[in-house]
Amino acid sequence: HPIECTVNHPDEISSIFDAISYAKGASVIRMLSNYLGEDVFMGGIKSYLTKFKYDNAKSGDLWASLGEFSGKDVGALMVPWTSQVGFPVIHVGDDGSCTTERFMASGDKGEGAWPCPIAFEDGTKLMLDDAGRDEVEAKIKGLIGTGKWFKLNVQQVAFFRVNYSEAQWKKLGEGAMLPGKLSTIDRLGLLSDAFALGKAGYIP
């Protein structure tokens, strides 16, 4: 089930407070906090709590408060993440092209579309969506042009998997996994992605 879902009867309430609501919900909030910046995120949360301290609120009210404080369209980012089942995998081609689909442990083609905030090693943060796709792909193409390995989703701050081209996986295996090249979190992230993608049949 999605993070946000309709409850038709009181007996259904307990059934939706599970790992999806808590673990996935926390991961998505962490992703949003990193994208906005922690200070901005906390400022938006404070504004939201102050505005609704004596009122009921919906998730849209939280996105609106964060959007007003940050100047970004938070709702456009968050609604697809809270209303859809699952999460995406980003496929990165040798030419820098990026395609997304719902990650399926079975390896079947999944449906869905998510805007994906991508953190790069140089501190750049870009949004992979219809509006930002060209900028993201140009950035990745430039990284490929250096001939060196690169890793997307630095510090595993976003809730998606990344499937690199065969050539890039090889470079990551030969260089990035050497001691001192990546943080422990990023090394674990690469191993987790490779294991999950291999098990699902996305990579050999």
mmCIF file of all heavy atoms in Angstrom, residues 164-196:
data_model
loop_
_atom_site.group_PDB
_atom_site.id
_atom_site.type_symbol
_atom_site.label_atom_id
_atom_site.label_comp_id
_atom_site.label_asym_id
_atom_site.label_seq_id
_atom_site.Cartn_x
_atom_site.Cartn_y
_atom_site.Cartn_z
ATOM 1 N N TYR A 164 23.571 1.353 -12.987
ATOM 2 C CA TYR A 164 24.519 1.975 -13.908
ATOM 3 C C TYR A 164 24.711 1.089 -15.139
ATOM 4 O O TYR A 164 24.289 -0.067 -15.183
ATOM 5 C CB TYR A 164 25.865 2.183 -13.206
ATOM 6 C CG TYR A 164 25.794 3.023 -11.970
ATOM 7 C CD1 TYR A 164 25.606 2.433 -10.710
ATOM 8 C CD2 TYR A 164 25.890 4.411 -12.022
ATOM 9 C CE1 TYR A 164 25.521 3.202 -9.555
ATOM 10 C CE2 TYR A 164 25.814 5.188 -10.867
ATOM 11 C CZ TYR A 164 25.625 4.567 -9.643
ATOM 12 O OH TYR A 164 25.550 5.322 -8.500
ATOM 13 N N SER A 165 25.376 1.640 -16.144
ATOM 14 C CA SER A 165 25.728 0.836 -17.319
ATOM 15 C C SER A 165 26.762 -0.204 -16.905
ATOM 16 O O SER A 165 27.408 -0.093 -15.847
ATOM 17 C CB SER A 165 26.307 1.732 -18.413
ATOM 18 O OG SER A 165 27.558 2.269 -17.990
ATOM 19 N N GLU A 166 26.946 -1.204 -17.735
ATOM 20 C CA GLU A 166 27.914 -2.259 -17.425
ATOM 21 C C GLU A 166 29.317 -1.686 -17.243
ATOM 22 O O GLU A 166 30.058 -2.085 -16.328
ATOM 23 C CB GLU A 166 27.920 -3.310 -18.543
ATOM 24 C CG GLU A 166 28.842 -4.496 -18.270
ATOM 25 C CD GLU A 166 28.773 -5.556 -19.354
ATOM 26 O OE1 GLU A 166 27.883 -5.468 -20.221
ATOM 27 O OE2 GLU A 166 29.619 -6.478 -19.325
ATOM 28 N N ALA A 167 29.682 -0.718 -18.092
ATOM 29 C CA ALA A 167 31.012 -0.119 -18.006
ATOM 30 C C ALA A 167 31.188 0.645 -16.697
ATOM 31 O O ALA A 167 32.251 0.588 -16.065
ATOM 32 C CB ALA A 167 31.233 0.827 -19.188
ATOM 33 N N GLN A 168 30.135 1.343 -16.253
ATOM 34 C CA GLN A 168 30.234 2.118 -15.019
ATOM 35 C C GLN A 168 30.251 1.209 -13.782
ATOM 36 O O GLN A 168 30.968 1.477 -12.818
ATOM 37 C CB GLN A 168 29.085 3.121 -14.930
ATOM 38 C CG GLN A 168 29.200 4.123 -13.790
ATOM 39 C CD GLN A 168 30.488 4.929 -13.809
ATOM 40 O OE1 GLN A 168 31.105 5.177 -12.770
ATOM 41 N NE2 GLN A 168 30.923 5.332 -14.987
ATOM 42 N N TRP A 169 29.484 0.127 -13.823
ATOM 43 C CA TRP A 169 29.536 -0.836 -12.718
ATOM 44 C C TRP A 169 30.960 -1.385 -12.580
ATOM 45 O O TRP A 169 31.468 -1.564 -11.461
ATOM 46 C CB TRP A 169 28.558 -1.983 -12.951
ATOM 47 C CG TRP A 169 27.155 -1.758 -12.466
ATOM 48 C CD1 TRP A 169 26.018 -1.760 -13.217
ATOM 49 C CD2 TRP A 169 26.729 -1.525 -11.111
ATOM 50 N NE1 TRP A 169 24.915 -1.537 -12.426
ATOM 51 C CE2 TRP A 169 25.321 -1.398 -11.128
ATOM 52 C CE3 TRP A 169 27.404 -1.411 -9.890
ATOM 53 C CZ2 TRP A 169 24.575 -1.155 -9.978
ATOM 54 C CZ3 TRP A 169 26.669 -1.183 -8.728
ATOM 55 C CH2 TRP A 169 25.273 -1.050 -8.774
ATOM 56 N N LYS A 170 31.591 -1.643 -13.701
ATOM 57 C CA LYS A 170 32.960 -2.174 -13.679
ATOM 58 C C LYS A 170 33.918 -1.159 -13.061
ATOM 59 O O LYS A 170 34.765 -1.509 -12.220
ATOM 60 C CB LYS A 170 33.409 -2.532 -15.091
ATOM 61 C CG LYS A 170 34.788 -3.187 -15.145
ATOM 62 C CD LYS A 170 35.149 -3.588 -16.576
ATOM 63 C CE LYS A 170 36.531 -4.238 -16.607
ATOM 64 N NZ LYS A 170 36.915 -4.624 -18.004
ATOM 65 N N LYS A 171 33.786 0.110 -13.445
ATOM 66 C CA LYS A 171 34.645 1.149 -12.881
ATOM 67 C C LYS A 171 34.413 1.304 -11.381
ATOM 68 O O LYS A 171 35.358 1.501 -10.599
ATOM 69 C CB LYS A 171 34.397 2.486 -13.589
ATOM 70 C CG LYS A 171 34.919 2.532 -15.017
ATOM 71 C CD LYS A 171 34.594 3.862 -15.676
ATOM 72 C CE LYS A 171 35.101 3.892 -17.114
ATOM 73 N NZ LYS A 171 34.751 5.150 -17.805
ATOM 74 N N LEU A 172 33.160 1.219 -10.965
ATOM 75 C CA LEU A 172 32.839 1.323 -9.547
ATOM 76 C C LEU A 172 33.462 0.165 -8.768
ATOM 77 O O LEU A 172 34.011 0.344 -7.682
ATOM 78 C CB LEU A 172 31.320 1.335 -9.343
ATOM 79 C CG LEU A 172 30.610 2.639 -9.693
ATOM 80 C CD1 LEU A 172 29.101 2.427 -9.810
ATOM 81 C CD2 LEU A 172 30.904 3.701 -8.638
ATOM 82 N N GLY A 173 33.380 -1.022 -9.349
ATOM 83 C CA GLY A 173 33.939 -2.187 -8.686
ATOM 84 C C GLY A 173 35.455 -2.135 -8.572
ATOM 85 O O GLY A 173 36.035 -2.574 -7.583
ATOM 86 N N GLU A 174 36.096 -1.562 -9.581
ATOM 87 C CA GLU A 174 37.563 -1.526 -9.605
ATOM 88 C C GLU A 174 38.139 -0.354 -8.811
ATOM 89 O O GLU A 174 39.260 -0.447 -8.293
ATOM 90 C CB GLU A 174 38.055 -1.440 -11.055
ATOM 91 C CG GLU A 174 37.770 -2.693 -11.867
ATOM 92 C CD GLU A 174 38.146 -2.515 -13.337
ATOM 93 O OE1 GLU A 174 38.395 -1.349 -13.747
ATOM 94 O OE2 GLU A 174 38.174 -3.521 -14.070
ATOM 95 N N GLY A 175 37.383 0.755 -8.725
ATOM 96 C CA GLY A 175 37.936 1.945 -8.086
ATOM 97 C C GLY A 175 37.228 2.414 -6.847
ATOM 98 O O GLY A 175 37.849 2.640 -5.807
ATOM 99 N N ALA A 176 35.905 2.549 -6.933
ATOM 100 C CA ALA A 176 35.165 3.163 -5.838
ATOM 101 C C ALA A 176 35.155 2.324 -4.570
ATOM 102 O O ALA A 176 35.061 2.859 -3.462
ATOM 103 C CB ALA A 176 33.724 3.444 -6.269
ATOM 104 N N MET A 177 35.244 1.007 -4.709
ATOM 105 C CA MET A 177 35.148 0.139 -3.553
ATOM 106 C C MET A 177 36.474 -0.045 -2.822
ATOM 107 O O MET A 177 36.559 -0.755 -1.825
ATOM 108 C CB MET A 177 34.579 -1.225 -3.964
ATOM 109 C CG MET A 177 33.172 -1.152 -4.542
ATOM 110 S SD MET A 177 31.973 -0.372 -3.415
ATOM 111 C CE MET A 177 31.722 -1.723 -2.264
ATOM 112 N N LEU A 178 37.532 0.593 -3.311
ATOM 113 C CA LEU A 178 38.819 0.523 -2.617
ATOM 114 C C LEU A 178 38.742 1.304 -1.306
ATOM 115 O O LEU A 178 37.990 2.276 -1.202
ATOM 116 C CB LEU A 178 39.932 1.101 -3.502
ATOM 117 C CG LEU A 178 40.247 0.329 -4.792
ATOM 118 C CD1 LEU A 178 41.266 1.104 -5.619
ATOM 119 C CD2 LEU A 178 40.762 -1.068 -4.472
ATOM 120 N N PRO A 179 39.492 0.895 -0.295
ATOM 121 C CA PRO A 179 39.452 1.595 1.000
ATOM 122 C C PRO A 179 39.723 3.091 0.860
ATOM 123 O O PRO A 179 40.626 3.509 0.148
ATOM 124 C CB PRO A 179 40.567 0.904 1.795
ATOM 125 C CG PRO A 179 40.681 -0.457 1.188
ATOM 126 C CD PRO A 179 40.410 -0.262 -0.277
ATOM 127 N N GLY A 180 38.889 3.877 1.528
ATOM 128 C CA GLY A 180 39.091 5.320 1.556
ATOM 129 C C GLY A 180 38.479 6.090 0.403
ATOM 130 O O GLY A 180 38.485 7.331 0.410
ATOM 131 N N LYS A 181 37.930 5.412 -0.595
ATOM 132 C CA LYS A 181 37.372 6.107 -1.756
ATOM 133 C C LYS A 181 35.939 6.576 -1.516
ATOM 134 O O LYS A 181 35.520 7.595 -2.055
ATOM 135 C CB LYS A 181 37.406 5.182 -2.983
ATOM 136 C CG LYS A 181 38.812 4.817 -3.447
ATOM 137 C CD LYS A 181 39.562 6.036 -3.950
ATOM 138 C CE LYS A 181 40.930 5.662 -4.499
ATOM 139 N NZ LYS A 181 41.672 6.847 -4.991
ATOM 140 N N LEU A 182 35.178 5.822 -0.744
ATOM 141 C CA LEU A 182 33.790 6.171 -0.462
ATOM 142 C C LEU A 182 33.515 6.034 1.026
ATOM 143 O O LEU A 182 34.202 5.295 1.734
ATOM 144 C CB LEU A 182 32.837 5.246 -1.231
ATOM 145 C CG LEU A 182 32.649 5.461 -2.728
ATOM 146 C CD1 LEU A 182 31.768 4.357 -3.286
ATOM 147 C CD2 LEU A 182 32.034 6.814 -3.021
ATOM 148 N N SER A 183 32.496 6.726 1.486
ATOM 149 C CA SER A 183 32.075 6.566 2.872
ATOM 150 C C SER A 183 31.485 5.171 3.056
ATOM 151 O O SER A 183 31.112 4.495 2.095
ATOM 152 C CB SER A 183 31.021 7.613 3.235
ATOM 153 O OG SER A 183 29.812 7.361 2.536
ATOM 154 N N THR A 184 31.382 4.745 4.301
ATOM 155 C CA THR A 184 30.801 3.432 4.587
ATOM 156 C C THR A 184 29.373 3.351 4.078
ATOM 157 O O THR A 184 28.952 2.334 3.519
ATOM 158 C CB THR A 184 30.819 3.162 6.107
ATOM 159 O OG1 THR A 184 32.173 3.216 6.573
ATOM 160 C CG2 THR A 184 30.240 1.798 6.431
ATOM 161 N N ILE A 185 28.613 4.444 4.257
ATOM 162 C CA ILE A 185 27.217 4.464 3.800
ATOM 163 C C ILE A 185 27.143 4.268 2.287
ATOM 164 O O ILE A 185 26.313 3.503 1.788
ATOM 165 C CB ILE A 185 26.537 5.786 4.205
ATOM 166 C CG1 ILE A 185 26.362 5.846 5.722
ATOM 167 C CG2 ILE A 185 25.181 5.943 3.507
ATOM 168 C CD1 ILE A 185 25.813 7.162 6.225
ATOM 169 N N ASP A 186 28.008 4.957 1.539
ATOM 170 C CA ASP A 186 27.972 4.844 0.080
ATOM 171 C C ASP A 186 28.418 3.463 -0.389
ATOM 172 O O ASP A 186 27.886 2.928 -1.373
ATOM 173 C CB ASP A 186 28.843 5.926 -0.557
ATOM 174 C CG ASP A 186 28.139 7.274 -0.612
ATOM 175 O OD1 ASP A 186 26.910 7.283 -0.763
ATOM 176 O OD2 ASP A 186 28.818 8.312 -0.499
ATOM 177 N N ARG A 187 29.394 2.877 0.283
ATOM 178 C CA ARG A 187 29.825 1.526 -0.076
ATOM 179 C C ARG A 187 28.692 0.533 0.155
ATOM 180 O O ARG A 187 28.417 -0.327 -0.691
ATOM 181 C CB ARG A 187 31.063 1.127 0.724
ATOM 182 C CG ARG A 187 32.307 1.935 0.364
ATOM 183 C CD ARG A 187 33.497 1.548 1.218
ATOM 184 N NE ARG A 187 34.006 0.238 0.840
ATOM 185 C CZ ARG A 187 35.001 -0.381 1.483
ATOM 186 N NH1 ARG A 187 35.571 0.203 2.534
ATOM 187 N NH2 ARG A 187 35.419 -1.553 1.082
ATOM 188 N N LEU A 188 28.024 0.662 1.301
ATOM 189 C CA LEU A 188 26.886 -0.203 1.587
ATOM 190 C C LEU A 188 25.762 0.026 0.578
ATOM 191 O O LEU A 188 25.084 -0.915 0.164
ATOM 192 C CB LEU A 188 26.377 0.037 3.010
ATOM 193 C CG LEU A 188 27.226 -0.537 4.144
ATOM 194 C CD1 LEU A 188 26.724 -0.043 5.497
ATOM 195 C CD2 LEU A 188 27.225 -2.060 4.106
ATOM 196 N N GLY A 189 25.562 1.295 0.185
ATOM 197 C CA GLY A 189 24.529 1.603 -0.799
ATOM 198 C C GLY A 189 24.788 0.937 -2.137
ATOM 199 O O GLY A 189 23.870 0.390 -2.762
ATOM 200 N N LEU A 190 26.032 0.985 -2.592
ATOM 201 C CA LEU A 190 26.386 0.326 -3.851
ATOM 202 C C LEU A 190 26.175 -1.182 -3.762
ATOM 203 O O LEU A 190 25.636 -1.806 -4.680
ATOM 204 C CB LEU A 190 27.837 0.623 -4.217
ATOM 205 C CG LEU A 190 28.131 1.980 -4.849
ATOM 206 C CD1 LEU A 190 29.637 2.153 -5.023
ATOM 207 C CD2 LEU A 190 27.423 2.123 -6.193
ATOM 208 N N LEU A 191 26.616 -1.771 -2.653
ATOM 209 C CA LEU A 191 26.445 -3.218 -2.477
ATOM 210 C C LEU A 191 24.975 -3.599 -2.419
ATOM 211 O O LEU A 191 24.553 -4.602 -3.016
ATOM 212 C CB LEU A 191 27.156 -3.676 -1.199
ATOM 213 C CG LEU A 191 28.683 -3.652 -1.235
ATOM 214 C CD1 LEU A 191 29.245 -3.901 0.161
ATOM 215 C CD2 LEU A 191 29.217 -4.692 -2.217
ATOM 216 N N SER A 192 24.177 -2.783 -1.718
ATOM 217 C CA SER A 192 22.744 -3.053 -1.613
ATOM 218 C C SER A 192 22.070 -2.969 -2.979
ATOM 219 O O SER A 192 21.269 -3.835 -3.348
ATOM 220 C CB SER A 192 22.103 -2.061 -0.642
ATOM 221 O OG SER A 192 20.699 -2.239 -0.599
ATOM 222 N N ASP A 193 22.397 -1.916 -3.745
ATOM 223 C CA ASP A 193 21.819 -1.767 -5.087
ATOM 224 C C ASP A 193 22.232 -2.931 -5.987
ATOM 225 O O ASP A 193 21.397 -3.507 -6.693
ATOM 226 C CB ASP A 193 22.265 -0.443 -5.717
ATOM 227 C CG ASP A 193 21.494 0.753 -5.185
ATOM 228 O OD1 ASP A 193 20.547 0.552 -4.393
ATOM 229 O OD2 ASP A 193 21.837 1.892 -5.555
ATOM 230 N N ALA A 194 23.520 -3.269 -5.974
ATOM 231 C CA ALA A 194 24.020 -4.338 -6.846
ATOM 232 C C ALA A 194 23.360 -5.677 -6.498
ATOM 233 O O ALA A 194 22.955 -6.433 -7.388
ATOM 234 C CB ALA A 194 25.532 -4.450 -6.727
ATOM 235 N N PHE A 195 23.241 -5.948 -5.197
ATOM 236 C CA PHE A 195 22.631 -7.211 -4.776
ATOM 237 C C PHE A 195 21.165 -7.278 -5.190
ATOM 238 O O PHE A 195 20.705 -8.274 -5.760
ATOM 239 C CB PHE A 195 22.751 -7.367 -3.259
ATOM 240 C CG PHE A 195 22.153 -8.647 -2.733
ATOM 241 C CD1 PHE A 195 22.844 -9.844 -2.800
ATOM 242 C CD2 PHE A 195 20.876 -8.651 -2.172
ATOM 243 C CE1 PHE A 195 22.286 -11.026 -2.328
ATOM 244 C CE2 PHE A 195 20.301 -9.822 -1.694
ATOM 245 C CZ PHE A 195 21.013 -11.011 -1.769
ATOM 246 N N ALA A 196 20.415 -6.198 -4.895
ATOM 247 C CA ALA A 196 18.987 -6.185 -5.212
ATOM 248 C C ALA A 196 18.747 -6.238 -6.716
ATOM 249 O O ALA A 196 17.860 -6.952 -7.193
ATOM 250 C CB ALA A 196 18.336 -4.943 -4.617
#
